[in-house]
Coordinates of all heavy atoms in Angstrom, one line a residue:
G1 N -3.0 -75.1 -19.2 CA -3.5 -75.8 -20.4 C -4.4 -76.9 -20.1 O -4.6 -77.3 -18.9
I2 N -5.0 -77.5 -21.1 CA -5.8 -78.7 -21.0 C -5.4 -79.8 -21.9 O -5.1 -79.5 -23.1 CB -7.3 -78.3 -21.2 CG1 -8.2 -79.5 -21.1 CG2 -7.5 -77.6 -22.5 CD1 -9.7 -79.2 -21.3
G3 N -5.3 -81.0 -21.5 CA -4.8 -82.1 -22.3 C -5.4 -83.4 -21.9 O -6.0 -83.6 -20.9
G4 N -5.1 -84.4 -22.8 CA -5.6 -85.7 -22.5 C -6.8 -86.1 -23.2 O -7.3 -85.4 -24.2
Q5 N -7.5 -87.1 -22.8 CA -8.6 -87.7 -23.5 C -9.8 -86.8 -23.5 O -10.7 -86.9 -24.4 CB -9.0 -89.0 -22.8 CG -9.8 -90.0 -23.7 CD -9.0 -90.5 -24.9 OE1 -7.8 -90.2 -25.0 NE2 -9.7 -91.2 -25.8
I6 N -9.9 -85.8 -22.6 CA -11.0 -84.9 -22.7 C -11.1 -84.1 -24.0 O -12.2 -83.7 -24.4 CB -11.0 -83.9 -21.5 CG1 -12.3 -83.1 -21.3 CG2 -9.8 -83.0 -21.5 CD1 -13.5 -83.9 -21.1
L7 N -10.0 -83.9 -24.6 CA -10.0 -83.2 -25.9 C -10.7 -84.1 -27.0 O -11.4 -83.5 -27.8 CB -8.5 -83.0 -26.4 CG -7.7 -82.0 -25.5 CD1 -6.3 -81.8 -26.2 CD2 -8.4 -80.7 -25.3
E8 N -10.6 -85.4 -26.9 CA -11.3 -86.2 -27.9 C -12.8 -86.2 -27.5 O -13.6 -86.3 -28.4 CB -10.8 -87.7 -27.8 CG -9.3 -87.8 -28.3 CD -9.2 -87.2 -29.7 OE1 -10.0 -87.5 -30.6 OE2 -8.3 -86.3 -29.9
L9 N -13.1 -86.1 -26.3 CA -14.5 -86.0 -25.9 C -15.1 -84.7 -26.4 O -16.2 -84.7 -27.0 CB -14.7 -86.1 -24.4 CG -16.1 -86.3 -23.8 CD1 -16.8 -84.9 -23.7 CD2 -16.9 -87.3 -24.5
L10 N -14.4 -83.6 -26.3 CA -14.9 -82.4 -26.8 C -15.0 -82.4 -28.3 O -15.9 -81.8 -28.9 CB -13.9 -81.2 -26.4 CG -13.8 -80.9 -24.9 CD1 -12.7 -79.9 -24.7 CD2 -15.2 -80.4 -24.5
R11 N -14.2 -83.2 -29.0 CA -14.3 -83.4 -30.5 C -15.6 -84.1 -30.8 O -16.4 -83.7 -31.7 CB -13.1 -84.2 -31.0 CG -13.1 -84.3 -32.5 CD -12.1 -85.3 -33.0 NE -10.7 -85.1 -32.4 CZ -9.9 -84.2 -32.9 NH1 -10.2 -83.4 -33.9 NH2 -8.7 -84.1 -32.3
H12 N -16.0 -85.1 -30.0 CA -17.2 -85.8 -30.2 C -18.4 -84.9 -29.9 O -19.5 -85.1 -30.5 CB -17.3 -87.0 -29.3 CG -16.5 -88.2 -29.8 ND1 -16.5 -88.7 -31.1 CD2 -15.6 -89.0 -29.1 CE1 -15.7 -89.7 -31.2 NE2 -15.1 -89.9 -30.0
R13 N -18.3 -83.9 -29.0 CA -19.3 -83.0 -28.7 C -19.4 -81.9 -29.8 O -20.3 -81.0 -29.7 CB -19.2 -82.4 -27.3 CG -19.4 -83.3 -26.2 CD -20.8 -83.7 -26.0 NE -21.0 -84.4 -24.7 CZ -21.0 -85.8 -24.7 NH1 -20.8 -86.5 -25.8 NH2 -21.1 -86.4 -23.5
G14 N -18.5 -81.8 -30.7 CA -18.4 -80.7 -31.6 C -18.0 -79.4 -31.0 O -18.2 -78.3 -31.6
L15 N -17.2 -79.4 -29.9 CA -16.8 -78.2 -29.2 C -15.3 -78.0 -29.4 O -14.8 -76.9 -28.9 CB -17.1 -78.3 -27.8 CG -18.6 -78.4 -27.4 CD1 -18.8 -78.7 -25.9 CD2 -19.3 -77.1 -27.8
L16 N -14.5 -78.9 -29.9 CA -13.1 -78.8 -29.9 C -12.6 -77.5 -30.6 O -11.7 -76.8 -30.1 CB -12.4 -80.0 -30.4 CG -10.9 -80.0 -30.3 CD1 -10.4 -79.9 -28.9 CD2 -10.3 -81.3 -30.9
E17 N -13.2 -77.2 -31.8 CA -12.7 -76.1 -32.5 C -13.0 -74.8 -31.7 O -12.2 -73.8 -31.8 CB -13.4 -76.0 -33.9 CG -13.0 -77.1 -34.9 CD -13.6 -76.9 -36.2 OE1 -14.4 -75.9 -36.4 OE2 -13.3 -77.7 -37.1
R18 N -14.1 -74.7 -31.0 CA -14.4 -73.6 -30.2 C -13.3 -73.4 -29.1 O -12.8 -72.2 -28.8 CB -15.7 -73.7 -29.5 CG -16.2 -72.6 -28.6 CD -17.6 -72.8 -28.2 NE -18.1 -71.8 -27.2 CZ -19.3 -71.8 -26.8 NH1 -20.2 -72.6 -27.2 NH2 -19.7 -70.9 -25.9
F19 N -12.8 -74.4 -28.5 CA -11.8 -74.4 -27.5 C -10.4 -74.0 -28.1 O -9.7 -73.3 -27.5 CB -11.7 -75.7 -26.7 CG -12.8 -75.8 -25.7 CD1 -14.2 -75.9 -26.0 CD2 -12.6 -75.8 -24.3 CE1 -15.2 -76.0 -25.1 CE2 -13.6 -75.9 -23.4 CZ -14.9 -76.0 -23.8
E20 N -10.2 -74.6 -29.3 CA -8.9 -74.3 -29.9 C -8.8 -72.8 -30.3 O -7.8 -72.2 -30.2 CB -8.8 -75.2 -31.2 CG -8.5 -76.6 -30.9 CD -8.6 -77.5 -32.2 OE1 -9.2 -77.1 -33.1 OE2 -7.9 -78.6 -32.2
A21 N -10.0 -72.3 -30.8 CA -10.0 -70.9 -31.2 C -9.7 -69.9 -30.0 O -9.3 -68.8 -30.2 CB -11.3 -70.5 -31.9
A22 N -10.0 -70.4 -28.8 CA -9.9 -69.5 -27.6 C -8.5 -69.5 -27.1 O -8.1 -68.7 -26.2 CB -10.8 -70.0 -26.5
C23 N -7.6 -70.4 -27.6 CA -6.2 -70.4 -27.1 C -5.4 -69.2 -27.5 O -5.6 -68.7 -28.6 CB -5.5 -71.7 -27.7 SG -6.2 -73.2 -27.1
P24 N -4.6 -68.7 -26.6 CA -3.9 -67.4 -26.9 C -2.8 -67.7 -28.0 O -2.2 -66.7 -28.5 CB -3.3 -67.0 -25.6 CG -3.2 -68.3 -24.8 CD -4.4 -69.1 -25.2
G25 N -2.4 -68.9 -28.3 CA -1.4 -69.2 -29.2 C -1.5 -70.6 -29.8 O -2.5 -71.3 -29.4
P26 N -0.7 -71.0 -30.7 CA -0.8 -72.3 -31.3 C -0.5 -73.4 -30.3 O 0.2 -73.2 -29.3 CB 0.2 -72.3 -32.4 CG 1.2 -71.2 -32.0 CD 0.4 -70.2 -31.3
A27 N -0.9 -74.6 -30.6 CA -0.7 -75.7 -29.7 C 0.8 -76.0 -29.7 O 1.5 -76.0 -30.7 CB -1.4 -77.0 -30.1
P28 N 1.4 -76.2 -28.5 CA 2.9 -76.5 -28.5 C 3.2 -77.9 -29.0 O 2.3 -78.7 -29.2 CB 3.2 -76.4 -27.0 CG 1.9 -76.9 -26.3 CD 0.8 -76.3 -27.2
A29 N 4.5 -78.1 -29.3 CA 4.9 -79.4 -29.7 C 4.6 -80.4 -28.6 O 4.6 -80.1 -27.4 CB 6.4 -79.4 -30.0
P30 N 4.2 -81.6 -29.0 CA 3.8 -82.6 -28.0 C 5.0 -83.1 -27.2 O 5.5 -84.2 -27.5 CB 3.1 -83.7 -28.8 CG 3.7 -83.6 -30.2 CD 4.0 -82.1 -30.4
R31 N 5.4 -82.4 -26.2 CA 6.5 -82.7 -25.4 C 6.1 -82.4 -23.9 O 5.9 -81.2 -23.6 CB 7.8 -82.0 -25.8 CG 9.1 -82.5 -25.1 CD 10.3 -81.9 -25.8 NE 11.5 -82.4 -25.2 CZ 12.2 -81.9 -24.2 NH1 11.8 -80.7 -23.7 NH2 13.3 -82.4 -23.8
F32 N 6.0 -83.4 -23.1 CA 5.4 -83.2 -21.8 C 6.3 -83.7 -20.7 O 7.0 -84.7 -20.8 CB 4.1 -84.1 -21.7 CG 3.1 -83.8 -22.8 CD1 3.1 -84.5 -24.0 CD2 2.2 -82.7 -22.7 CE1 2.2 -84.2 -25.0 CE2 1.3 -82.4 -23.7 CZ 1.3 -83.1 -24.8
P33 N 6.3 -82.9 -19.5 CA 7.1 -83.3 -18.4 C 6.6 -84.6 -17.8 O 5.4 -84.8 -17.7 CB 7.0 -82.1 -17.4 CG 5.7 -81.4 -17.8 CD 5.6 -81.6 -19.3
F34 N 7.5 -85.4 -17.3 CA 7.1 -86.7 -16.7 C 8.2 -87.0 -15.6 O 9.2 -87.6 -15.9 CB 7.0 -87.8 -17.7 CG 6.5 -89.1 -17.2 CD1 5.1 -89.3 -17.1 CD2 7.4 -90.1 -16.7 CE1 4.6 -90.5 -16.6 CE2 6.9 -91.3 -16.2 CZ 5.5 -91.5 -16.1
G35 N 7.9 -86.5 -14.4 CA 8.7 -86.9 -13.2 C 10.2 -86.5 -13.4 O 11.1 -87.2 -13.0
G36 N 10.4 -85.3 -13.9 CA 11.8 -84.8 -14.0 C 12.4 -85.1 -15.4 O 13.6 -84.7 -15.6
I37 N 11.7 -85.9 -16.2 CA 12.2 -86.2 -17.6 C 11.1 -85.7 -18.5 O 10.2 -85.0 -18.1 CB 12.6 -87.7 -17.7 CG1 11.4 -88.6 -17.4 CG2 13.8 -88.0 -16.9 CD1 11.7 -90.0 -17.6
H38 N 11.1 -86.2 -19.7 CA 10.1 -85.8 -20.7 C 9.5 -86.9 -21.5 O 10.3 -87.9 -21.8 CB 10.6 -84.7 -21.6 CG 10.7 -83.3 -21.0 ND1 11.8 -82.9 -20.3 CD2 9.8 -82.3 -21.0 CE1 11.6 -81.7 -19.9 NE2 10.4 -81.3 -20.3
L39 N 8.3 -86.8 -21.9 CA 7.7 -87.6 -22.9 C 7.7 -86.8 -24.2 O 7.0 -85.9 -24.4 CB 6.2 -88.0 -22.6 CG 6.0 -88.8 -21.3 CD1 4.5 -89.0 -21.1 CD2 6.7 -90.1 -21.3
D40 N 8.6 -87.2 -25.1 CA 8.8 -86.4 -26.3 C 8.1 -87.2 -27.5 O 8.6 -88.2 -28.0 CB 10.3 -86.2 -26.7 CG 10.5 -85.3 -27.8 OD1 9.6 -85.0 -28.5 OD2 11.7 -84.8 -28.0
L41 N 6.9 -86.6 -27.8 CA 6.1 -87.3 -28.8 C 6.2 -86.6 -30.2 O 5.4 -86.9 -31.1 CB 4.6 -87.3 -28.4 CG 4.3 -87.7 -26.9 CD1 2.8 -87.6 -26.6 CD2 4.8 -89.1 -26.7
T42 N 7.2 -85.8 -30.4 CA 7.2 -85.0 -31.6 C 7.4 -85.8 -32.8 O 7.1 -85.4 -34.0 CB 8.3 -83.9 -31.5 OG1 9.6 -84.6 -31.1 CG2 8.0 -82.9 -30.5
A43 N 8.0 -87.0 -32.7 CA 8.3 -87.9 -33.9 C 7.1 -88.7 -34.2 O 7.1 -89.4 -35.3 CB 9.5 -88.8 -33.6
L44 N 6.0 -88.7 -33.4 CA 4.8 -89.5 -33.7 C 3.8 -88.8 -34.5 O 3.5 -87.6 -34.2 CB 4.2 -90.0 -32.4 CG 5.1 -90.8 -31.5 CD1 4.2 -91.2 -30.2 CD2 5.7 -92.0 -32.1
A45 N 3.4 -89.4 -35.6 CA 2.3 -88.7 -36.5 C 1.0 -88.6 -35.8 O 0.2 -87.7 -36.0 CB 2.2 -89.5 -37.8

């Protein structure tokens, strides 16, 4: 996958929807591995 601030840059370029449409499935819940634990961002709007 691809994540981080580059997605906001692609939004500014008008390309984000094109990249989203190419994904084989929906974006997962925002829960990311971090050194054997997790950053669980699911409660953040």
Side-chain angles (χ1 to χ4, degrees):
I2 176 176
Q5 201 66 7
I6 190 61
L7 297 183
E8 294 307 309
L9 189 282
L10 293 173
R11 188 190 308 278
H12 283 313
R13 290 287 186 268
L15 296 172
L16 185 58
E17 289 186 1
R18 178 174 177 175
F19 282 65
E20 289 173 334
C23 293
R31 191 168 185 267
F32 303 93
F34 187 84
I37 57 177
H38 281 88
L39 300 176
D40 190 344
L41 312 179
T42 53
L44 302 182

